[in-house]
Amino acid sequence: MTFGNVGRPVSRVDGPLKVTGKAQYAAEIPVANVAHAVLVTSAVGRGHLRSIDTRRAEQVPGVLHVITSGNVPPLPGAKKKTDPNDRILQVLQEDEIHYPDQPIAIVVASTLESAQEAAFLVSATYAADELHADLMPIGQDRYKPKKAGPSGDADTKRGDVEAAVNGAAVRIDQTYSTPVQNHNPMEPHALTVVWQGEDHVTLYDTSQGIFAVRKKVSALFGIPAANVRVISRFVGGGFGCKGSPWSHVGLAAIAARVAQRPVKLALTRQQMFSLVGHRPKTIQHLVLAADRKGKLLAVQHESVSETSRFDEFVEPAAVVTRMLYSCPNVRTTHRLVKLDIPTPTFMRAPGESTGTFALESAMDELAVELKLDPLQLRLENYAERDEGEDKPWSSKSLRECYEQGAARFGWSRRNATPRAMRDGCWLVGYGMATATYPARQSGSSAVAKFRRDGSLLVQAGSQDIGTGTYTIMAQIAADALGVPLETVTFELGDTIMPETPVSGGSQTASSTGSAVRLAALALREKLIATALADPQSALHGLKADAVLLSGGQLTAQGQPGKQDSLSALVARSGGSEISAQISSVEKLERAQYSLHSFGAQFVEVRVDEDTAEVRVARAVGAFAAGKILNPKTARSQFYGGMVWGIGFALEEHSVRDARSGRVVTRDLADYHVPVHADVPELVVLMVDEHDPHVNEIGAKGIGEIGITGISAAIANAVYNATGKRVRDLPITLDKLI
Ligand code: MOS
């Protein structure tokens, strides 16, 4: 077999298409006779639509239809959730308003400009009710959800927390909060819909989960899933918002059906703040109790987060506390408050990003209280197994992450006394925190085809959300089959290809990567068997284990003269290709283990003593995530997570107006994300880790761990610099002065 593609820093195979503009995104698909759709959204956040006047809009030249609740076709599946991660949509089936900017009409016109102008001219009257759009620390009804995300129960308990807290020498009892954040991928949500008659439809959608879109559209319109084709070849970023279909997908499909023309719909940047989910605000109460040496005796983590009135999403912030440290007495709870807001959703490391801010800030406070080095405190409480699940780790290299990260960062030079390190007007602070994320895997499938022309075509539905899926899948397939990387084409982003899971939860490499490897291995076996059975082959009659496959050539072991090429083999078979498909990748032994990636984040901040301006000066992240398939694309993933951590800690915050409930920071001028000037030198260390249990390829997934821990590391560094503990993100100037 040819090895050596996996693990190599191969440049993105789709890079040239992207930088030359040849990669077509969902709103760019050239479709004949396409019409343009624009959404009209509610001016109030709670109440009823009383009347809607579309007459002026209909008179705009080029307008084809203005669809409202008054003339929309009934959709049988509008209220149905197709699975627990699916969202309830607002597709004009009712006049009730549940949140600000809920869609109330969709305008279809022959040009975008006509549709935009007409959308402005739709006027509506409302019966508005009082609304509540802010999660409060007290005074709101909280309820216990059935589950806390995919990872488990809403509440857990081991040992006796109360007794342990009462008997402990040292206690930390604090509340931390994280704000509403909105996803802002470069490419806003967009789609092009083409119906073929009444019951067949093709959607070019920007999606992290094309099979979820297929299921939803099939349910909405009551047509078989086989009649729905979803194509998503290029995605300009997702981060969770594109993990499930939202109302605009259903509305665009309605518009195209009513207009009997293909329809294109792109959300505006402003609409991204209300129509495609958000990271919910959390309020997290943490109690830590320890002995004088720093051994944790009890941990309690109670998280409250917001959800919409009509649907449910739990930010599983306390889940991480169940497994991160060794501690005999642990209690975690999740509660929800229903507000007049759109339904929140997954946003990069949902749960772990918000939860590690609270837990890792509290650990830092405990270290201060104990006068112990924060890293030492974490080593004192190192978990040798997952005490929450009561299972051994499939692998864990957190100790190595701490060591390598600390060494590279120069952690030993830290002065633990706040305000002790200075550089001119800047107060200098060092902070650290632990990072972690689960190593998920879902059922996936793939097909591998060796073609007459000597090329290998591998296909799996899947999505490349900018992470490098096209590239790593080609690397995996090339090595598994034993052919040069240049001869491999990997195709994805189409529901006519083998079914795969959502590209979320950092699971695409693990799930679909394993399917691709198994499909290529199955094809290898089939090709060799075909040669051995073929009287015309030089290898006829040999045993399978006596044959080598390398560089697309079959050779008899020890007899270099006895050769056959894969392309000749396919040609003699009479067909155009020989193929193998894999439809299950389940690794049964996974159930015996707790599977997680780990990492350590080290940050230096500088805080201007007079203005309280905070700058991240440098950061080192050391991560162990199993096999790193491609260090180049992997490094970008870690960078992306860490950069977002800077925004998480210092900038990102969606502000809602208390009376209208609307997000007022609804563009990238008001909603701050890190720009180049905010991002210093970042060092990513990829710590070697071999994990034979996690999946077929040994890779744990790296899309989300980079954003975990880092906001706490920054907050902890700010404390070290200033002596001020900020427990409510983001850390803006007003909280430091
Ligand atoms: Mo990620 S928030 O699972 O797309």
Side-chain angles (χ1 to χ4, degrees):
M1 286 199 1
T2 312
F3 286 105
N5 288 303
V6 168
R8 216 155 50 76
V10 175
S11 292
R12 287 164 196 275
V13 297
D14 51 329
L17 288 177
K18 285 184 172 170
V19 297
T20 57
K22 286 184 189 137
Q24 283 174 341
Y25 291 78
E28 300 175 324
I29 304 296
V31 174
N33 196 33
V34 74
H36 298 260
V38 170
L39 296 176
V40 181
T41 62
S42 170
V44 305
R46 185 178 190 184
H48 285 83
L49 191 60
R50 261 216 194 103
S51 67
I52 185 159
D53 186 347
T54 60
R55 283 169 300 182
R56 287 178 66 205
E58 278 156 3
Q59 281 159 18
V60 173
V63 167
L64 304 168
H65 296 275
V66 182
I67 305 164
T68 66
S69 63
N71 61 1
V72 70
L75 289 194
K79 288 257 163 176
K80 235 188 271 167
K81 250 168 121 92
T82 57
D83 71 61
N85 287 330
D86 187 38
R87 306 283 172 243
I88 290 171
L89 307 186
Q90 279 71 42
V91 285
L92 308 178
Q93 303 293 302
E94 54 180 347
D95 283 338
E96 206 175 337
I97 306 292
H98 303 278
Y99 55 91
D101 300 311
Q102 178 180 318
I104 57 167
I106 182 166
V107 177
V108 192
S110 52
T111 67
L112 178 61
E113 292 75 11
S114 297
Q116 284 168 333
E117 188 189 348
F120 270 115
L121 296 173
V122 173
S123 64
T125 61
Y126 306 87
D129 295 331
E130 193 193 338
L131 61 75
H132 298 279
D134 197 11
L135 180 68
M136 309 295 277
I138 49 164
Q140 288 174 325
D141 285 339
R142 297 173 173 182
Y143 74 97
K144 180 180 162 181
K146 285 205 182 71
K147 304 276 281 176
S151 320
D153 298 330
D155 295 0
T156 61
K157 186 173 175 260
R158 62 178 189 262
D160 185 343
V161 168
E162 214 161 79
V165 169
N166 288 334
V170 184
R171 268 167 252 166
I172 297 295
D173 184 335
Q174 293 292 355
T175 299
Y176 305 85
S177 50
T178 61
V180 175
Q181 297 176 351
N182 279 94
H183 315 74
N184 275 288
M186 291 279 278
E187 178 204 28
H189 288 241
L191 73 161
T192 304
V193 188
V194 188
W195 284 90
Q196 295 90 28
E198 283 287 295
D199 59 358
H200 282 74
V201 65
T202 302
L203 298 97
Y204 300 86
D205 188 19
T206 179
S207 173
Q208 290 172 247
I210 54 176
F211 292 94
V213 176
R214 181 176 74 171
K215 209 168 168 183
K216 189 70 173 182
V217 171
S218 146
L220 275 179
F221 290 91
I223 55 176
N227 295 7
V228 181
R229 183 175 177 191
V230 183
I231 299 174
S232 191
R233 297 203 180 99
F234 298 97
V235 178
F239 315 117
C241 54
K242 294 175 184 170
S244 45
W246 296 96
S247 301
H248 70 279
V249 172
L251 291 169
I254 292 168
R257 185 133 104 159
V258 168
Q260 300 190 320
R261 273 174 78 159
V263 161
K264 202 170 269 198
L265 171 67
L267 296 191
T268 62
R269 183 59 68 187
Q270 286 71 28
Q271 289 171 339
M272 291 293 292
F273 287 81
S274 52
L275 294 181
V276 294
H278 63 272
R279 194 194 295 280
K281 177 172 171 176
T282 71
I283 299 174
Q284 304 177 52
H285 179 216
L286 260 288
V287 178
L288 304 185
D291 68 17
R292 288 261 167 236
K293 286 185 187 142
K295 180 71 198 83
L296 284 171
L297 301 175
V299 181
Q300 178 170 296
H301 189 163
E302 299 163 297
S303 179
V304 183
S305 62
E306 60 184 28
T307 188
S308 66
R309 288 210 195 271
F310 57 89
D311 203 350
E312 183 171 287
F313 173 78
V314 186
E315 174 80 9
V319 165
V320 68
T321 300
R322 298 168 183 171
M323 47 61 74
L324 198 54
Y325 296 110
S326 174
C327 181
N329 305 295
V330 176
R331 198 166 83 87
T332 66
T333 66
H334 293 87
R335 296 292 178 270
L336 288 175
V337 173
K338 286 192 176 291
L339 296 175
D340 303 300
I341 56 172
T343 309
T345 197
F346 334 101
M347 188 160 166
R348 207 171 190 178
E352 287 76 13
S353 55
T354 43
T356 51
F357 167 66
L359 176 62
E360 291 297 280
S361 292
M363 285 294 278
D364 201 68
E365 298 205 52
L366 181 61
V368 170
E369 192 68 31
L370 289 161
K371 298 189 169 49
L372 203 63
D373 184 276
L375 178 50
Q376 188 54 39
L377 175 65
R378 284 159 175 92
L379 290 168
E380 287 291 334
N381 296 289
Y382 197 85
E384 299 294 350
R385 59 191 273 113
D386 180 338
E387 296 177 7
E389 293 273 319
D390 193 21
K391 284 177 182 175
W393 308 112
S394 64
S395 62
K396 178 176 180 178
S397 312
L398 178 55
R399 217 172 246 123
E400 292 77 0
C401 294
Y402 287 142
E403 281 166 13
Q404 293 180 29
R408 178 65 182 260
F409 181 81
W411 181 252
S412 60
R413 295 198 301 269
R414 174 177 183 266
N415 187 326
T417 308
R419 305 177 72 88
M421 297 190 287
R422 280 171 177 273
D423 180 6
C425 68
W426 298 99
L427 298 168
V428 178
Y430 289 5
M432 62 84 55
T434 307
T436 187
Y437 196 78
R440 296 204 170 91
Q441 185 181 37
S442 299
S444 193
S445 54
V447 64
K449 308 170 180 180
F450 199 86
R451 298 181 292 196
R452 253 177 121 130
D453 64 3
S455 66
L456 172 65
L457 174 65
V458 183
Q459 296 171 314
S462 203
Q463 305 76 209
D464 186 334
I465 59 175
T467 47
T469 307
Y470 276 115
T471 312
I472 58 166
M473 296 303 166
Q475 290 174 270
I476 291 168
D479 282 7
L481 186 62
V483 296
L485 183 61
E486 308 74 60
T487 66
V488 181
T489 302
F490 179 75
E491 291 180 350
L492 55 66
D494 195 327
T495 52
I496 63 169
M497 295 176 188
E499 188 160 347
T500 56
V502 63
S503 287
S506 299
Q507 67 170 352
T508 297
S510 169
S511 310
T512 303
S514 295
V516 164
R517 175 165 166 81
L518 289 171
L521 289 176
L523 177 61
R524 182 177 184 275
E525 217 169 280
K526 195 165 171 182
L527 288 165
I528 290 172
T530 308
L532 303 186
D534 180 357
Q536 286 174 275
S537 173
L539 306 170
H540 181 241
L542 288 176
K543 284 208 164 81
D545 56 11
V547 178
L548 300 173
L549 199 174
S550 168
Q553 288 283 126
L554 293 165
T555 312
Q557 210 153 18
Q559 303 173 75
K562 278 196 168 179
Q563 282 205 336
D564 198 355
S565 82
L566 295 182
S567 32
L569 192 64
V570 175
R572 289 198 308 272
S573 76
S576 61
E577 63 187 35
I578 294 178
S579 75
Q581 177 149 358
I582 278 292
S583 56
S584 172
V585 293
E586 208 183 355
K587 196 147 161 106
L588 294 172
E589 65 189 279
R590 277 175 60 89
Q592 302 162 29
Y593 296 97
S594 175
L595 308 110
H596 292 262
S597 301
F598 291 94
Q601 310 262 22
F602 295 87
V603 175
E604 176 183 326
V605 300
R606 294 174 169 232
V607 184
D608 186 296
E609 199 175 5
D610 298 320
T611 67
E613 174 185 347
V614 181
R615 291 272 155 195
V616 173
R618 61 197 181 93
V620 175
F623 305 99
K627 174 105 189 139
I628 296 299
L629 302 169
N630 180 330
K632 193 171 189 175
T633 53
R635 194 175 299 280
S636 287
Q637 284 299 293
F638 292 125
Y639 280 153
M642 291 172 73
V643 168
W644 198 334
I646 295 173
F648 204 121
L650 302 179
E651 299 174 272
E652 288 200 47
H653 180 194
S654 298
V655 179
R656 293 194 186 116
D657 173 65
R659 285 159 307 170
S660 70
R662 299 183 101 183
V663 174
V664 293
T665 49
R666 48 204 287 134
D667 57 37
L668 295 177
D670 285 334
Y671 185 86
H672 292 176
V673 298
V675 297
H676 280 295
D678 298 312
V679 182
E681 187 200 357
L682 301 177
V683 175
V684 167
L685 303 176
M686 290 177 258
V687 173
D688 268 345
E689 183 173 70
H690 176 67
D691 190 328
H693 311 298
V694 63
N695 53 42
E696 289 299 324
I697 55 174
K700 287 180 173 174
I702 53 172
E704 285 162 282
I705 187 172
I707 194 179
T708 69
I710 182 145
S711 60
I714 294 171
N716 297 342
V718 167
Y719 174 79
N720 182 235
T722 64
K724 287 200 175 134
R725 178 69 62 181
V726 180
R727 302 186 183 90
D728 173 46
L729 293 183
I731 305 170
T732 42
L733 306 183
D734 52 302
K735 295 174 188 170
L736 287 174
I737 281 177

